Amino acid sequence: SFDGTLRVGFALRRKHSGKKPWEQHGATTGPEDLDIDWLGGYWKLPKADAGSGSLRDAVVSAARISGTAPVKLAHLFEIYAALGDSVQQLFGSAEPSSEEIRKMYQGQCGLGSYLTARIGTAAMNRHPARTREMLADADQMASTLPECKEKAIVQSFIYRAYGVFEAKTKSDGQDPECWFRDSLVCHPTNSLTLHLQGVAAIQGQRL
């Protein structure tokens, strides 16, 4: 038996509104304005079967090497039903604000802080001011956590994001490597921070 990964494809389209395409340009699209067409699915297979003795080869799917397998129609319908309107909600809803995330995850400050920083980081190229604001909100949210591994990991992510932001925006007097060092103080084995610290050192001709 194989521990495959099930993938499904879909196409999103605006519901017919009677308007010409150019009349809809720039209009706000909400989840209720989107229809979804399910295109089918397939199993992405790993390199080896579950009894191969190699955990990695048995669980990491690699379609280019091992190929794919068809999915029973009944299973696909089950997946479509389980997903419901989640795809429309994902692509049609506005990005939540820091305050909305805070309220949504009142009992899970670590997760709320991470999501705030993650959404802020995603806006880095489009809205740098929003990124700076959301990173500050995430840092404040994380500061309310008790001293624990969760807090250290979340803060390591936030400080790394600050470093990337400062490197991209090149703010006066801001040293990205300071943020990377702070990230590693929180979580010394953060491999991406270590990589970025090395890149910064190479770019600064210190390596």
Side-chain angles (χ1 to χ4, degrees):
S1 62
F2 287 85
D3 185 7
T5 301
L6 178 60
R7 287 191 167 183
V8 294
F10 60 86
L12 281 176
R13 53 187 171 80
R14 286 179 184 268
K15 292 181 179 178
H16 181 65
S17 64
K19 295 182 179 180
K20 304 295 184 184
W22 56 86
E23 294 175 330
Q24 299 184 53
H25 180 69
T28 301
T29 301
E32 67 281 356
D33 301 315
L34 297 174
D35 268 333
I36 188 167
D37 294 320
W38 296 106
L39 306 179
Y42 62 91
W43 286 106
K44 185 182 172 190
L45 300 177
K47 292 181 181 179
D49 63 73
S52 66
S54 171
L55 179 61
R56 177 178 175 80
D57 288 349
V59 299
V60 178
S61 54
R64 285 183 293 179
I65 297 173
S66 306
T68 60
V71 183
K72 290 182 179 179
L73 197 58
H75 290 168
L76 282 176
F77 286 151
E78 184 178 342
I79 295 298
Y80 301 158
L83 287 172
D85 69 342
S86 60
V87 178
Q88 293 95 314
Q89 293 291 337
L90 176 64
F91 288 95
S93 297
E95 288 183 353
S97 66
S98 300
E99 186 58 30
E100 288 172 332
I101 295 174
R102 186 190 301 274
K103 290 178 179 178
M104 195 179 303
Y105 296 97
Q106 282 183 340
Q108 299 172 288
C109 284
L111 178 57
S113 177
Y114 167 77
L115 291 174
T116 302
R118 187 70 187 84
I119 292 173
T121 303
M124 193 176 297
N125 293 325
R126 296 176 287 115
H127 305 294
R130 174 174 167 82
T131 296
R132 187 183 295 278
E133 179 184 341
M134 294 195 77
L135 287 177
D137 291 340
D139 197 15
Q140 191 280 326
M141 201 182 306
S143 70
T144 64
L145 289 167
E147 296 300 325
C148 60
K149 187 174 182 180
E150 178 188 23
K151 181 177 183 177
I153 291 174
V154 170
Q155 287 186 320
S156 179
F157 177 84
I158 294 170
Y159 297 155
R160 187 181 76 204
Y162 263 124
V164 173
F165 177 75
E166 298 299 348
K168 278 181 171 289
T169 58
K170 295 180 172 58
S171 301
D172 292 338
Q174 295 293 331
D175 181 7
E177 289 186 74
C178 288
W179 289 110
F180 296 148
R181 286 192 289 270
D182 288 345
S183 174
L184 291 173
V185 168
C186 294
H187 188 32
T189 57
N190 189 324
S191 59
L192 185 51
T193 301
L194 288 166
H195 167 74
L196 292 171
Q197 190 178 46
V199 170
I202 291 172
Q203 291 175 342
Q205 298 183 341
R206 291 185 300 283
L207 285 178

